[in-house]
Amino acid sequence: MYQKSLLSRFISSTTKTRTAHQARRKMDWNIHNIPADQPTPSVIVSTELAEANIKRMQDYCNAHGLRLRPHTKTHKSLWAAQLQMKAGAVGLTVAKVGEAEVMSHVCRDIFIAYPAIGAHRLSRLMELAKRISVSVGIDSIAAASALQSAAQNAGVQVGVLVDIDVGFHRTGVQDRIKTLELCTFVAAQPNLAFRGLMCFPGHILPHADSQTWSAYEAALKSIVEELAQRGLSVEAVSGGSTPTAMESHKNTALNEIRPGTYVYNDLNEVRLGVCDLDQVAARVLATVVSKPEPNKVVIDAGSKTLSSDRNAALPDSGFGYLPDFPEAKVVRLSEEHGEIVFSDADVASGRVPEVGDRLWLIPNHICVCINLQNQFFLHDGQTLSVLPVDARGLLV
Amino acid sequence: MYQKSLLSRFISSTTKTRTAHQARRKMDWNIHNIPADQPTPSVIVSTELAEANIKRMQDYCNAHGLRLRPHTKTHKSLWAAQLQMKAGAVGLTVAKVGEAEVMSHVCRDIFIAYPAIGAHRLSRLMELAKRISVSVGIDSIAAASALQSAAQNAGVQVGVLVDIDVGFHRTGVQDRIKTLELCTFVAAQPNLAFRGLMCFPGHILPHADSQTWSAYEAALKSIVEELAQRGLSVEAVSGGSTPTAMESHKNTALNEIRPGTYVYNDLNEVRLGVCDLDQVAARVLATVVSKPEPNKVVIDAGSKTLSSDRNAALPDSGFGYLPDFPEAKVVRLSEEHGEIVFSDADVASGRVPEVGDRLWLIPNHICVCINLQNQFFLHDGQTLSVLPVDARGLLV
């Protein structure tokens, strides 16, 4: 369970680091400036780049009158959540109740974009709802009934957003009639506050055509209108996902978005064309532990560090990207081994690293990578400080 | 860092649970006997089946005069490590120094089957070598030199096994001359004790033909003979990997094996034909949180619980197996969502679970699944008790 003392300790250590380096340097990712005794593998986050990513998304939302409720699944960090709140986020999004418990230390308005089902989960959710404002995304009468029953027993109010499937076909009510039924049912429950609609447009690629966006907009607008006709006011229409976050203004039905990955970005976002490599704020530092062939090295970062997630846009492109060796490919991961094959040009020029050398990797998917770390390291352009991944591994 | 008090607390709680149920029941995996407030997703381990798996492997090794040095990467648990040691293991295998630190609480002879490279890692290794017997698997002069230098500075002795590539092409010296050179170099270092050879036969499938085994045997035998001619005695010739573990007698050069997965088994082992479903000792308990279509449910276990590892034998077979629904397929994982499609027969018979129902899953790869858990639950056939995953997430 998260300890409050831990939070204050790490916040003060971060603050100290910053004050000591008022003239912060630009992040140049010069690997030779990383101390030789830095543990590897480790995730290193550029404070400068993370702050710039947070500012860019907040500026976009401010410009378009959208509320930003960042999904904390990416960073799982109270440090990053605080930066997002300070920048202007209206609250935070989490997936699980355990994450909400952690994030409640820096935010009093949390949306759990996930159905709270199961006795254990509901019991913890109700304890949380006694302390802070909590909303939940659900897509079934069964979930609404269970939530109402638990909230009634606990004597609390819980906000509800009804989850609509807009095309990704994961969770979400799939038809209009059922959506209206569920919204009406929720609104009639004494301990539930119907707050609106949520959706996850994970099927929409960046820079999709206008028809895709029109269909997405129409799906939400028609429901909002029908609900209004029934006297149900829709406070929030919440979209999500980093890939399309900065196109959200194309869907005028939305008034809130829940992107997560933008805080650090990763190779998925780069290959989807959502950001540039120099907007990726988190990298994995790894050490070469074996060089079995002239064109091949093995690093100490495998699937236990990077995850075995493949690249969303290019599944066969390998398990990460080496910014200093653009032609190299991470061809295979075991749990603790990452196997990297270098190009003929790298071999010919004598640039292939040796045993003991260190490498930067940009992971395919930073969210799962962060979840595998007990801690990460903040780099302010000059010095490194360690922070815990506060909400790591919270499955319930 | 691991706390000793934690160990004694959990050992005593386990002991107590056992004493209270002398007449242990057979594990029937009856989901209705799992308490309604059990957190999900969670990993539940059958004590009976894990003990049987440990006994089976130890009996095999005893029958064939092989030393068993189990790889703890699968369970990452002091409870399971103790069972393995009590059953007759000669010591333990780990991949990283952090895991060795944890396992040093129950074993004083640990083999790190991984090159210890990097200042931070070597520094922690040397502290450990002051307390217990540690050996390391390496495949380069660079690694041997770094190890010698660190050991000399710390005033300790470190054992070394030279890693030979027998065909998996991950780490390991790839040719005879280089192997002899490295062994000779290691033996000449004052703070290194040359102990023998290690290999990882991950390329050999279960029930491979006799030629494959002959080649594997010959590769090791010829090196051992050449080393003997040079006056270097080879104490250990250590193979590994669960899939071929119980065929190790086919390679008479081996005198030690390092299987890991056998303690719990998983869908990889089942689909490789190494074990039966009823020899799988660990399952994931998940809750249905959404039923978007009549033939499809979404459970609260995604890649953050199961990992996105695909099945080794059948990569397109989905992300796990539902023993109670053999025809169902886990078609897609997000971090927190597992999407399961059921067969027409399941739909027709009305057996498809509803929101709130619970399901058993057998993961493709139990090692990575366990690493994603902060704790697991032991089921003795009657009651559940919780244990920490002691060495989870130790990347260094």
Side-chain angles (χ1 to χ4, degrees):
Chain A
M1 203 53 49
Y2 184 75
Q3 291 169 356
K4 203 158 187 180
S5 58
L6 201 69
L7 169 62
S8 40
R9 182 153 56 90
F10 279 110
I11 288 174
S12 65
S13 86
T14 317
T15 314
K16 202 167 58 192
T17 307
R18 296 247 207 105
T19 319
H21 305 286
Q22 292 290 351
R24 190 185 293 165
R25 290 198 193 161
K26 278 285 184 194
M27 188 67 186
D28 62 5
W29 297 108
N30 185 341
I31 210 160
H32 301 295
N33 292 340
I34 305 293
D37 63 350
Q38 170 69 14
T40 69
S42 57
V43 170
I44 298 184
V45 168
S46 158
T47 316
E48 173 201 354
L49 296 178
E51 285 178 350
N53 289 341
I54 289 169
K55 182 175 187 308
R56 189 180 307 115
M57 187 63 77
Q58 188 66 55
D59 285 350
Y60 166 79
C61 287
N62 294 347
H64 292 280
L66 286 160
R67 294 186 298 210
L68 179 57
R69 188 182 285 277
H71 204 311
T72 61
K73 71 180 184 117
T74 303
H75 54 66
K76 296 180 168 66
S77 153
L78 291 168
W79 165 79
Q82 277 189 312
L83 285 183
Q84 291 171 318
M85 292 300 293
K86 273 192 199 167
V90 296
L92 298 173
T93 303
V94 301
K96 295 291 185 83
V97 174
E99 296 174 340
E101 288 167 352
V102 171
M103 291 303 156
S104 73
H105 292 277
V106 297
C107 176
R108 303 189 59 76
D109 179 355
I110 295 182
F111 175 49
I112 303 174
Y114 199 84
I117 298 284
H120 177 91
R121 184 172 288 131
L122 280 168
S123 149
R124 282 167 62 174
L125 174 61
M126 294 310 143
E127 287 307 308
L128 190 63
K130 289 175 186 169
R131 294 198 289 114
I132 65 162
S133 168
V134 183
S135 299
V136 181
I138 59 171
D139 68 359
S140 66
I141 298 279
S145 298
L147 205 54
Q148 161 58 27
S149 173
Q152 189 163 23
N153 289 339
V156 297
Q157 282 274 319
V158 176
V160 169
L161 270 67
V162 166
D163 181 6
I164 301 182
D165 180 10
V166 292
F168 186 60
H169 304 322
R170 190 171 65 183
T171 60
V173 190
Q174 296 197 343
D175 75 56
R176 193 187 124 266
I177 299 293
K178 281 190 181 165
T179 302
L180 296 172
E181 271 176 14
L182 180 54
C183 293
T184 309
F185 183 85
V186 168
Q189 305 305 309
N191 296 80
L192 304 184
F194 175 71
R195 286 194 48 231
L197 308 172
M198 72 160 270
C199 63
F200 177 71
H203 63 298
I204 304 185
L205 289 175
H207 319 302
D209 59 28
S210 60
Q211 279 169 313
T212 303
W213 279 91
S214 298
Y216 175 25
E217 182 179 61
L220 293 171
K221 269 202 168 156
S222 64
I223 296 287
V224 172
E225 280 160 17
E226 288 202 66
L227 289 171
Q229 285 162 16
R230 295 173 184 219
L232 286 181
S233 90
V234 175
E235 173 198 327
V237 182
S238 173
S241 196
T242 291
T244 55
M246 293 181 78
E247 297 179 77
S248 299
H249 60 281
K250 295 180 184 172
N251 180 345
T252 61
L254 297 173
N255 63 13
E256 178 176 301
I257 58 172
R258 313 181 310 276
T261 312
Y262 78 95
V263 60
Y264 295 154
N265 286 318
D266 57 21
L267 196 61
N268 276 341
E269 305 308 323
V270 171
R271 293 221 152 118
L272 284 169
V274 175
C275 69
D276 296 329
L277 276 171
D278 60 10
Q279 292 170 322
V280 176
R283 294 185 179 192
V284 169
L285 182 74
T287 300
V288 174
V289 297
S290 172
K291 188 176 181 180
E293 297 172 60
N295 69 335
K296 185 176 166 186
V297 307
V298 181
I299 56 170
D300 58 359
S303 70
K304 224 175 84 181
T305 299
L306 299 164
S307 91
S308 45
D309 274 23
R310 301 196 294 168
N311 189 267
L314 291 169
D316 296 323
S317 62
F319 297 95
Y321 178 80
L322 285 76
D324 300 323
F325 299 91
E327 292 176 27
K329 184 173 176 181
V330 186
V331 292
R332 182 167 66 170
L333 298 183
S334 308
E335 284 158 80
E336 307 283 8
H337 304 81
E339 297 174 50
I340 305 173
V341 171
F342 289 81
S343 69
D344 292 344
D346 285 332
V347 175
S349 64
R351 293 189 67 233
V352 179
E354 298 297 331
V355 169
D357 286 348
R358 296 177 300 173
L359 293 171
W360 289 121
L361 279 98
I362 295 178
N364 280 333
H365 188 181
I366 190 64
C367 313
V368 289
C369 172
I370 293 284
N371 184 56
L372 291 163
Q373 317 295 317
N374 288 331
Q375 68 280 310
F376 69 108
F377 296 82
L378 270 184
H379 198 301
D380 69 355
Q382 188 152 6
T383 58
L384 282 169
S385 50
V386 64
L387 285 183
V389 181
D390 304 286
R392 184 207 52 73
L394 300 180
L395 301 173
V396 174
Chain B
M1 202 53 48
Y2 183 77
Q3 292 169 356
K4 205 159 188 180
S5 59
L6 202 69
L7 169 63
S8 41
R9 180 152 57 89
F10 280 110
I11 289 174
S12 65
S13 86
T14 318
T15 315
K16 200 167 60 193
T17 308
R18 296 247 206 103
T19 320
H21 305 286
Q22 291 291 349
R24 189 185 293 165
R25 290 196 193 163
K26 280 282 184 195
M27 188 67 188
D28 63 5
W29 297 108
N30 185 341
I31 211 161
H32 302 294
N33 292 339
I34 304 294
D37 63 351
Q38 170 69 14
T40 69
S42 57
V43 170
I44 298 184
V45 168
S46 159
T47 317
E48 173 202 355
L49 296 178
E51 285 179 350
N53 289 341
I54 289 169
K55 183 175 186 308
R56 190 180 306 114
M57 187 62 77
Q58 189 66 55
D59 286 350
Y60 166 80
C61 287
N62 294 348
H64 292 280
L66 286 160
R67 295 186 299 209
L68 178 58
R69 188 182 286 276
H71 205 310
T72 61
K73 72 182 183 114
T74 303
H75 54 67
K76 295 179 171 64
S77 153
L78 292 168
W79 165 79
Q82 277 190 312
L83 286 183
Q84 290 171 319
M85 292 300 293
K86 273 191 196 166
V90 296
L92 298 173
T93 303
V94 300
K96 296 290 185 85
V97 174
E99 296 174 341
E101 288 167 351
V102 171
M103 291 303 156
S104 72
H105 292 279
V106 296
C107 176
R108 303 189 60 76
D109 180 355
I110 295 182
F111 175 49
I112 303 173
Y114 200 84
I117 298 284
H120 177 91
R121 184 172 287 131
L122 279 167
S123 151
R124 282 166 62 175
L125 175 61
M126 293 311 142
E127 287 307 307
L128 190 63
K130 290 177 186 169
R131 295 198 288 113
I132 66 162
S133 167
V134 183
S135 299
V136 181
I138 60 171
D139 67 0
S140 65
I141 299 277
S145 298
L147 206 54
Q148 162 58 28
S149 174
Q152 190 163 24
N153 288 339
V156 297
Q157 282 276 318
V158 176
V160 168
L161 270 66
V162 166
D163 181 5
I164 300 183
D165 180 10
V166 292
F168 187 59
H169 304 322
R170 190 170 65 183
T171 60
V173 190
Q174 296 197 345
D175 75 55
R176 193 187 124 266
I177 300 292
K178 282 190 181 165
T179 303
L180 295 173
E181 272 176 12
L182 180 54
C183 293
T184 309
F185 182 84
V186 168
Q189 305 306 308
N191 295 80
L192 304 184
F194 175 71
R195 287 193 48 232
L197 307 172
M198 71 160 272
C199 63
F200 177 71
H203 63 298
I204 304 183
L205 289 175
H207 319 302
D209 60 28
S210 59
Q211 280 170 310
T212 302
W213 279 91
S214 299
Y216 176 23
E217 183 179 59
L220 293 172
K221 270 202 168 156
S222 65
I223 296 287
V224 172
E225 279 160 18
E226 289 202 66
L227 289 170
Q229 286 163 16
R230 296 175 185 218
L232 286 180
S233 91
V234 175
E235 174 198 326
V237 181
S238 173
S241 195
T242 292
T244 55
M246 293 180 79
E247 298 179 76
S248 300
H249 59 281
K250 295 179 183 172
N251 181 346
T252 61
L254 296 173
N255 62 13
E256 178 176 301
I257 58 172
R258 312 181 311 273
T261 312
Y262 77 96
V263 61
Y264 296 154
N265 286 318
D266 58 20
L267 196 61
N268 275 340
E269 306 308 322
V270 171
R271 293 222 152 118
L272 285 169
V274 176
C275 70
D276 296 329
L277 276 171
D278 60 10
Q279 291 170 323
V280 176
R283 294 186 179 190
V284 169
L285 183 74
T287 299
V288 175
V289 297
S290 172
K291 189 177 180 179
E293 298 173 58
N295 69 336
K296 185 177 166 186
V297 306
V298 180
I299 56 171
D300 57 359
S303 70
K304 223 175 83 180
T305 300
L306 298 164
S307 89
S308 45
D309 274 23
R310 301 195 295 168
N311 189 267
L314 290 169
D316 295 324
S317 62
F319 297 94
Y321 179 81
L322 286 76
D324 300 323
F325 300 91
E327 292 175 27
K329 184 174 175 181
V330 186
V331 292
R332 183 167 65 171
L333 298 183
S334 308
E335 283 158 79
E336 307 282 8
H337 304 80
E339 299 176 48
I340 305 173
V341 170
F342 289 81
S343 69
D344 292 344
D346 285 332
V347 175
S349 63
R351 292 188 69 232
V352 179
E354 299 296 332
V355 169
D357 287 348
R358 297 177 299 173
L359 293 171
W360 289 121
L361 280 99
I362 294 178
N364 280 333
H365 188 181
I366 189 64
C367 313
V368 289
C369 171
I370 293 284
N371 184 56
L372 291 163
Q373 317 295 317
N374 288 331
Q375 68 279 312
F376 68 109
F377 295 83
L378 270 183
H379 198 300
D380 70 355
Q382 190 153 5
T383 58
L384 282 170
S385 50
V386 65
L387 284 183
V389 180
D390 304 286
R392 185 207 52 72
L394 300 180
L395 301 173
V396 175

